[in-house]
Amino acid sequence: MKRPYTGSKDGVAAGEHPQLTALMRELFKAYSPALWNNGSWTVRNMRNKSSLSVHATGRAVDISWRNMGDGKRGVAKGGRKHAMEAMRYLVEHADDLGVEMIIDYFPVPFGRAAKCDRNMEWQRYKKKTVSGAPRGDWFHLEVDGKKSSVEIKAVFAANPPAPVVLGA
């Protein structure tokens, strides 16, 4: 369903939003160790821009599939595949999870994004729009700040993601 996009309109938060924390907990439980938190709440502007990053609102996280070689963050094979599965899941359940935007930095030539004001339909960027694209080994996720941790947990319980199969 088409919903308005919040962006950074709500300004700087004192920390990570509980909705985002709950969503990350469930997502990482489902996709560990393939996906991991590459950065959530921090007060800063968007990279190479003068406007506030949604990270500063406490409602955004960057999720990486980069293999860090520590057995806890990333996998040797199939990381991108797991990221694609997670993004598909997040788009499919965007309304129930309160997902507002996903930016996928990997696709050539300029990445792509799914956004709530476009019914979470993917749009491939036709020009340089986001720093890190192409071939970025993470995706950016934003939530609306309107869902409780109980609601987030219920979505994952009712619609469990496919399990991670290492090496697949």
Side-chain angles (χ1 to χ4, degrees):
M1 175 165 94
K2 198 171 185 177
R3 295 176 281 129
Y5 175 68
T6 306
S8 59
K9 294 174 191 163
D10 47 349
V12 175
E16 196 174 273
H17 194 283
Q19 176 187 2
L20 183 65
T21 303
L23 181 53
M24 288 189 306
R25 183 175 29 255
E26 296 301 320
L27 196 65
F28 297 145
K29 190 177 356 173
Y31 292 99
S32 178
L35 303 181
W36 53 277
N37 181 346
N38 195 33
S40 57
W41 179 75
T42 184
V43 178
R44 66 172 176 83
N45 286 342
M46 285 188 272
R47 196 174 287 162
N48 301 322
K49 298 190 178 171
S50 61
S51 50
L52 189 65
S53 168
V54 178
H55 286 274
T57 71
R59 297 182 293 99
V61 62
D62 291 329
I63 298 173
S64 184
W65 64 86
R66 180 181 333 116
N67 183 9
M68 299 302 287
D70 59 9
K72 297 175 187 172
R73 294 174 296 167
V75 292
K77 291 184 180 178
R80 172 70 180 163
K81 177 182 161 218
H82 296 302
M84 294 287 291
E85 290 172 8
M87 287 185 278
R88 182 203 53 76
Y89 181 90
L90 292 165
V91 166
E92 183 178 329
H93 301 285
D95 289 340
D96 293 330
L97 294 170
V99 172
E100 283 200 338
M101 182 179 223
I102 301 169
I103 302 173
D104 181 5
Y105 297 88
F106 190 78
V108 173
F110 302 111
R112 66 183 183 149
K115 201 170 168 189
C116 62
D117 60 3
R118 295 192 302 259
N119 290 324
M120 294 304 291
E121 292 178 17
W122 287 105
Q123 175 185 353
R124 283 190 170 266
Y125 292 128
K126 294 180 179 10
K127 62 180 183 168
K128 182 89 172 140
T129 304
V130 292
S131 296
R135 303 216 197 291
D137 57 9
W138 74 97
F139 64 91
H140 172 88
L141 169 66
E142 298 176 14
V143 297
D144 60 16
K146 297 176 182 174
K147 302 291 182 181
S148 71
S149 56
V150 171
E151 290 172 297
I152 298 297
K153 192 170 186 172
V155 172
F156 278 84
N159 308 285
V164 169
V165 178
L166 297 180

